[in-house]
Amino acid sequence: MSEATPTTVTYDTADELASATADRLAAALASAQAARGTASVVLTGGRTGGAVLAALRSAALDWSSLDIYWGDERFLPAGDPERNETQARAALLDHVPVAPARVHAMAPSDGEFGDDPDAAAEAYAVLLKDVPTFDVCLLGVGEEGHTASIFPHSPAVLESARTVVAVRDCPKPPPTRVSLTLPRIRTAAAVWLMTTGAAKADAVAAALAGAAEQDIPAAGARGQRETLWILDRSAASAR
Ligand code: 6PG
């Protein structure tokens, strides 16, 4: 499959980025719903992603016709404040009428798979077997170029067969996570990488200059139709 060449959009501030990206996401999902009667989105953890979700609360979407997935999850007990699901519910999902059965959270460490992240990853991979693509996959970017829970020179970034993997000894706490792999991320129609702040500028510049995904995993996050880097001026400052 050939993926879309990255394009960028830059905003003056993180607040402007969050508001504009929420509008952009609402439009993209509404367009999918108008065309197919349904839409799907992959959520990300992190501050930037959370700000976009909070800005989405007022969107005029058919929330009941939306499938919600995660690109990664911190492998912690259900309800733990550090879980991406917990943060997404606080920012958005508990404030809009989503269909509970269409919120597809990755298993917690005290759920049906117990404290086994490999089993949790395999279960999510099985769920995704019936999901050939996503309309929009939202991703954050780390200072060293990670995206989702795929870090440079890690087993996850080298994974070419599996779609969801357990991540251990993650440099960004908490250490144990579950993450989509780059091949699975690349099944999305649109991949949007959203990041702010000068600390991300070198990773952004390297990724957009064509860095190898083993060195800058975010460079390997591309959509089938669209790969959009959504930046504030600080994150775009090293280009
Ligand atoms: C996570 C995220 C991670 C995050 C980046 C950027 O679970 O931590 O999925 O990939 O998106 O680290 O985070 P910030 O937007 O907070 O810089």
Side-chain angles (χ1 to χ4, degrees):
M1 289 188 281
S2 64
E3 291 91 26
T5 303
T7 56
T8 65
V9 61
T10 303
Y11 297 95
D12 285 333
T13 67
D15 287 348
E16 191 182 337
L17 181 151
S19 174
T21 304
D23 292 346
R24 184 190 297 271
L25 182 59
L29 296 178
S31 173
Q33 289 177 336
R36 303 197 325 269
T38 187
S40 57
V41 63
V42 179
L43 304 185
T44 178
R47 284 175 297 103
T48 312
V52 171
L53 294 187
L56 206 57
R57 282 191 203 178
S58 56
L61 265 180
D62 178 1
W63 293 103
S64 65
S65 299
L66 178 64
D67 281 299
I68 297 160
Y69 303 91
W70 273 266
D72 72 333
E73 184 57 278
R74 292 89 178 272
F75 195 61
L76 295 165
D80 188 293
E82 282 302 300
R83 268 178 63 85
N84 291 335
E85 177 197 7
T86 308
Q87 294 178 13
R89 288 187 181 281
L92 175 64
L93 304 182
D94 287 351
H95 304 276
V96 292
V98 293
R102 299 183 71 167
V103 178
H104 309 286
M106 292 175 168
S109 61
D110 60 349
E112 62 182 303
F113 306 105
D115 193 19
D116 181 347
D118 292 295
E122 176 54 27
Y124 211 71
V126 169
L127 168 78
L128 292 182
K129 281 182 178 159
D130 294 333
V131 185
T133 184
F134 308 110
D135 289 303
V136 182
C137 178
L138 301 175
L139 292 170
V141 180
E143 294 179 20
E144 80 298 286
H146 80 258
T147 196
S149 289
I150 308 168
F151 282 77
H153 311 294
S154 66
V157 78
L158 301 173
E159 180 62 50
S160 58
R162 289 180 294 166
T163 58
V164 189
V165 294
V167 174
R168 293 177 171 83
D169 306 320
C170 189
K172 175 179 181 182
T176 307
R177 293 151 170 259
V178 175
S179 182
L180 300 190
T181 58
L182 287 174
R184 183 67 231 221
I185 287 169
R186 289 195 280 257
T187 68
V191 168
W192 296 357
L193 297 108
M194 316 171 293
T195 197
T196 62
K200 311 295 181 71
D202 288 343
V204 168
L208 291 171
E213 63 190 37
Q214 292 85 339
D215 298 327
I216 304 283
R222 295 193 174 193
Q224 292 298 305
R225 177 179 49 74
E226 180 184 40
T227 305
L228 181 63
W229 284 73
I230 304 174
L231 310 168
D232 74 348
R233 293 226 171 280
S234 300
S237 60
R239 293 192 63 208

